[in-house]
Amino acid sequence: MAEPSNSCEPEPAGGSTPAAQDKPLTVEQALERLLGYARPVDETEALPTADCLGRVLAEPVVSGVDLPYWDNSAMDGYALRADDLAAHGGRLPVSQRIPAGQCGTPLAPGTAARIFTGAPVPEGADTVVVQEVCEPEDDAVRVSAEITPGANIRRRGEELTAGTEVLAAGTRLGPQHLGMAAGVGAAELRVHRRLKVAILATGDELVMPGTALGPGQIYNSNRFLFRALLQALGCEVIDLGIVADDREATVAALRDAAGQSDLVLASGGVSVGEEDHIRPAVERLGSLDLWRVAMRPGKPFAFGRIGETPFIGSPGNPVSLFVTFGLFARPFIQRLQGMRDAGLPQALPARAGFSLSKPVKRRDYQRARLSIDADGQTLVEVFRSTSSAALSSLTWANGLAIIPEGEPIREGDRVDFIPLSELLG
Ligand SMILES: Nc1nc2c(c(=O)[nH]1)N[C@H]1C(S)=C(S)[C@@H](COP(=O)(O)OP(=O)(O)OC[C@H]3O[C@@H](n4cnc5c(N)ncnc54)[C@H](O)[C@@H]3O)O[C@H]1N2
Ligand code: MOO
Ligand SMILES: [Mg+2]
């Protein structure tokens, strides 16, 4: 889509060397370069708050009210003046009843009000006593325990006051944010429009589930990975299906994809064989701005532009696609969507429950499982195979262990672990 709002200015980042750099970039350099090309889509729309799940907020939400809006009871019980209770030997007549949704009258001196959770505390009362320590007696109440003056009242404005920004622009709206917006009375929110992402899977060997496999054929897993990863990010997916390993077919499919989307994602055909047509096709239609990252899986990862439309080429191996999506495509998409905090997924320090005597040559994102052992210590185990074709490694894992290049790992060493949740949504 040739929208100026989403154009990729040729602004080098992460090093000035253009695309087909001689050496693979580090993960950090690659991300920096990639994000240097990310221009947020600036078109926005106003939607009913209930329809905004997963959208990115374009304007802050500012509260028009104090929260709570008035002093209210945090418990079911009796509202009274603490001094009155002491002065009347722990027994007070009940002068009114205040359920939630009703306002009582100012509390008559020397009396208590029956009150329920969420009801406004009547003027004059300074304490709510929970009913569990009260005995109702005819039209009075006897309090059988020590009370804490001021207890069980949620004060007006104690959470926040009118004029407070409750949600910042650039927030991805989850259930808690929608609840917050509704809680300050926002019926509509201004959000960025949905990002249109075109996907295509290259490969003559691919067939769709539902068809019997012929000789040399495999099922097209990547389509399902792409779609689901994008849906979890709130994108509109334009699925262009399977593209043959053919130069002209690849050029035509990429041109078609770029014409109707904000971003094009392709899987496969990005490596060095003569059946890999993605790089020359992108170069013909625009430019290749990055190719190859010093990582495993995912080394032949590519980024470029087809006209003005950004392009991400993921390696065909499904695990390589998943990992490069989480590390690069996800933050890039978050930026286009207008999110504030787009970057590498957060890793947490953990303890290796495995050893690798032979150091790895490229930074390795091994499929891993974090657990807490009997002593309460973190323990990371890695999958038995590092094959980037083995999706079963990802269904087994709950995260990725980052194995730095050139360093052996001994059991008990610190190892950085990225929870899968950091890579999704
Ligand atoms: N001589 C070299 N060969 C390869 C290199 C290299 O540096 N030199 N790199 C290897 C690495 S690492 C990877 S990763 C792959 C990346 O390959 P491509 O991106 O070109 O992808 P393809 O060759 O098309 O496919 C690779 C692999 O993935 C399977 N595949 C492809 N698409 C799908 C799909 N939609 N669903 C499921 N599986 C898919 C495909 O059948 C291949 O097995 O290149 C190495 N080669
Ligand atoms: O980069 Mo490939 O993804 O190592 O298998
Ligand atoms: Mg290939």
Side-chain angles (χ1 to χ4, degrees):
M1 205 177 269
E3 274 159 10
S5 59
N6 191 31
S7 69
C8 277
E9 302 298 324
E11 178 187 294
S16 55
T17 332
Q21 69 276 347
D22 301 339
K23 263 178 61 187
L25 297 180
T26 65
V27 169
E28 288 74 16
Q29 286 169 335
L31 184 68
E32 194 190 340
R33 180 171 299 183
L34 199 72
L35 292 183
Y37 287 102
R39 298 283 170 274
V41 167
D42 57 12
E43 290 153 67
T44 64
E45 55 188 326
L47 288 183
T49 301
D51 296 341
C52 290
L53 183 65
R55 293 299 195 98
V56 176
L57 200 56
E59 284 175 3
V61 177
V62 175
S63 180
V65 294
D66 292 344
L67 279 187
Y69 200 33
W70 18 258
D71 290 1
N72 71 96
S73 178
M75 300 297 246
D76 298 314
Y78 293 84
L80 44 75
R81 288 182 187 83
D83 287 349
D84 281 354
L85 196 63
H88 292 81
R91 185 178 187 278
L92 293 174
V94 176
S95 55
Q96 59 177 318
R97 183 175 187 277
I98 316 173
Q102 288 186 23
C103 291
T105 54
L107 187 68
T111 74
R114 176 73 171 122
I115 198 163
F116 299 90
T117 306
V121 173
E123 200 185 309
D126 60 16
T127 304
V128 169
V129 182
V130 292
Q131 67 186 50
E132 285 86 339
V133 300
C134 297
E135 292 152 37
E137 284 181 1
D138 301 325
D139 291 336
V141 61
R142 176 173 294 284
V143 177
S144 54
E146 281 277 304
I147 65 157
T148 309
N152 300 320
I153 297 179
R154 299 186 289 215
R155 302 282 172 194
R156 174 174 189 152
E158 78 176 17
E159 181 184 347
L160 57 94
T161 50
T164 304
E165 180 178 300
V166 294
L167 297 174
T171 302
R172 163 102 54 208
L173 296 166
Q176 68 276 33
H177 305 109
L178 300 188
M180 181 83 249
V184 297
E188 273 194 345
L189 300 175
R190 183 151 287 278
V191 293
H192 291 272
R193 76 153 165 81
R194 286 178 81 190
L195 200 71
K196 293 179 193 158
V197 183
I199 58 169
L200 45 96
T202 68
D204 286 340
E205 73 278 35
L206 303 177
V207 292
M208 293 300 287
T211 312
L213 289 179
Q217 294 185 325
I218 61 163
Y219 289 120
N220 181 4
S221 316
N222 290 348
R223 177 196 197 203
F224 294 81
L225 281 168
F226 264 160
R227 285 183 73 105
L229 288 163
L230 291 167
Q231 281 163 359
L233 283 165
C235 299
E236 182 182 327
V237 179
I238 302 165
D239 192 340
L240 296 174
I242 296 169
V243 178
D245 288 322
D246 170 84
R247 183 71 49 89
E248 295 313 313
T250 307
V251 169
L254 290 179
R255 190 186 283 126
D256 179 24
Q260 50 181 320
S261 64
D262 302 306
L263 168 66
V264 177
L265 298 184
S267 95
V270 81
S271 185
V272 293
E274 59 264 32
E275 295 294 341
D276 296 328
H277 298 286
I278 285 287
R279 288 186 300 126
V282 171
E283 277 170 333
R284 200 198 293 178
L285 295 167
S287 61
L288 190 72
D289 302 301
L290 183 166
W291 179 58
R292 289 189 302 161
V293 184
M295 62 186 287
R296 191 166 171 257
K299 183 179 172 191
F301 177 82
F303 174 82
R305 285 163 293 146
I306 302 169
E308 293 287 291
T309 309
F311 166 82
I312 287 176
S314 299
N317 284 306
V319 178
S320 313
L321 180 148
F322 184 92
V323 172
T324 53
F325 189 98
L327 296 190
F328 304 124
R330 180 175 177 269
F332 188 78
I333 287 169
Q334 290 174 331
R335 275 289 163 88
L336 295 193
Q337 290 176 321
M339 253 181 89
R340 283 176 310 163
D341 309 319
L344 280 177
Q346 295 295 303
L348 43 100
R351 210 166 48 95
F354 60 93
S355 54
L356 293 176
S357 49
K358 201 169 152 230
V360 296
K361 293 202 186 87
R362 288 180 263 153
R363 187 188 296 177
D364 201 344
Y365 291 84
Q366 294 201 10
R367 277 68 72 203
R369 213 150 149 168
L370 178 82
S371 59
I372 307 292
D373 69 14
D375 303 324
Q377 299 241 41
T378 56
L379 193 72
V380 173
E381 291 165 280
V382 289
F383 193 64
R384 58 189 153 78
S385 151
T386 58
S387 164
S388 58
L391 269 174
S392 45
S393 65
L394 276 173
T395 58
W396 171 86
N398 60 12
L400 302 173
I402 307 177
I403 315 292
E405 64 175 282
E407 291 173 31
I409 305 251
R410 283 176 305 270
E411 219 174 308
D413 281 356
R414 176 195 150 138
V415 63
D416 285 336
F417 177 86
I418 305 174
L420 276 198
S421 56
E422 279 289 312
L423 300 162
L424 302 166

